Amino acid sequence: MSTTHKELKTGFVMNWEIQLARPLRTHRCGLPAIVRTLGDAVDLIDEGLPETLRFRSTWREVKEMLVTAAETRTSRAVEDATTLLEHILEDEGWLEHRNIDRGRFSVHSEMCE
């Protein structure tokens, strides 16, 4: 990701390669199957969501938290951003659920049309 005006103004250099607190798996066509880093999460919002969703307050809030986590690089900020993203994906019905059955994972997924 390129340097933004905010980075220049605040002096913070954002680290988009920081791993989320845990990888998140999605099953919506057009979204990455696995979101691993802060950069992946921001790309999901900026590039994977339709504009009508991207500008909802919940998605704007999680993006702001991802930016804060990239700036501050604290484990607490990363955990908070990951948790909120996880909840939003769950609310949208896009979070992949794993059911442990006899030591194996069964995965729910949708086909892209």
Side-chain angles (χ1 to χ4, degrees), residues 39-76:
D40 291 344
V42 169
D43 288 346
L44 177 150
I45 295 167
D46 288 345
E47 299 169 14
L49 293 181
E51 191 172 304
T52 54
L53 292 178
R54 193 177 323 136
F55 293 110
R56 286 186 183 168
S57 61
T58 53
W59 287 105
R60 286 194 322 251
E61 180 183 358
V62 74
K63 185 175 177 183
E64 288 173 15
M65 291 180 79
L66 291 162
V67 169
T68 298
E71 288 175 344
T72 65
R73 304 174 185 204
T74 66
S75 59
R76 180 63 179 185

Side-chain angles (χ1 to χ4, degrees), residues 20-22 24 38 61-62 64-66 68-69 72 74-88:
L20 294 177
R22 61 202 150 275
L24 302 177
L38 297 175
E61 180 183 358
V62 74
E64 288 173 15
M65 291 180 79
L66 291 162
T68 298
T72 65
T74 66
S75 59
R76 180 63 179 185
V78 172
E79 175 63 41
D80 290 347
T82 302
T83 299
L84 183 58
L85 179 59
E86 189 171 40
H87 288 197
I88 293 171

Side-chain angles (χ1 to χ4, degrees), residues 10-27:
T10 64
F12 285 107
V13 176
M14 296 183 201
N15 183 349
W16 297 110
E17 297 304 315
I18 294 173
Q19 298 288 307
L20 294 177
R22 61 202 150 275
L24 302 177
R25 297 180 183 272
T26 69
H27 61 84

Side-chain angles (χ1 to χ4, degrees), residues 89-100:
L89 289 169
E90 173 69 33
D91 290 348
E92 296 287 355
W94 301 337
L95 190 65
E96 182 176 283
H97 295 280
R98 295 179 178 199
N99 298 316
I100 300 174

